[in-house]
Amino acid sequence: MTVIPRTRRGAMVSAICALLVAGSGLTGCAKDDPDEGTNGVGKLSAAKIQSRTASAAKSADTVRLSGTVVSKGRTYKLDMRLAEDGGTGSVTSEGSTFRLLRVGEHLFLKADKEFWEHEDDKGGDSESDRAAADKLNGMYVKVPTGDPSYQRFSGFTDKDVLLDGLLTLHGDLSTAGRHEQAGIRTIRISGDEGSGGTLDVSLEGTPYPLRLVRAGDAGTIRLSDWGKPFSLEEPTEKEVVDYGQQLPTS
């Protein structure tokens, strides 16, 4: 069966409509329904769309989150895959990139020598510091739960924490037209006509959030691979360095 693209279908409908009007004396034809074939959220108020997409996001088992987040003057570039019991991916900040892996309560951090040397810049440049950086280079480090870095980094691997913190629009909500993200039709909602952020919600299938532009130029986030399973396993013993109860100058 030949599939006719949506744009060609629209042109064909218009042409047929014109022929019918010319031959029958009718004054016009009904316009295409923009909600035909959608999940129907485009007919809802902005507040109800936000509620539906928040519920959809919370109920999903997994999601991929990528883009930039600006927080407390620092810009983070994220590419994380998140599940209910952990997450994995990369974070880049101030020119340094590190990988995070959390399985349950166990959090692991992996970075190169330059990252650890940068961390130790605050505490000096001793021979022991350089030796520690060499030891940690390219290895997973298990972050102790009592270390200050644990709370700081584990949030990047927590699906509920990230989504609750990110999927927020500020000010009066309104709809801002229909758009498209990665080939998927969306309805956009905005806070204070865009100054409070915008959120594109899928009009196809489950109304998942697909793209968030945060208020105050605080970053743009893409959300994809909703519900797609991925492997989440702790690294092997050979891949892990046990640094003790506290990371260097963390």
Side-chain angles (χ1 to χ4, degrees), residues 34-47:
D35 292 301
E36 182 180 358
T38 72
N39 53 28
V41 296
K43 299 178 181 180
L44 304 177
S45 67

Side-chain angles (χ1 to χ4, degrees), residues 216-227:
D217 297 322
T220 299
I221 295 294
R222 293 173 295 279
L223 304 107
S224 59
D225 295 347
W226 288 100

Side-chain angles (χ1 to χ4, degrees), residues 147-159:
D147 190 277
S149 293
Y150 186 91
Q151 195 66 28
R152 173 186 169 194
F153 290 137
S154 63
F156 288 117
T157 65
D158 192 311
K159 172 178 171 285

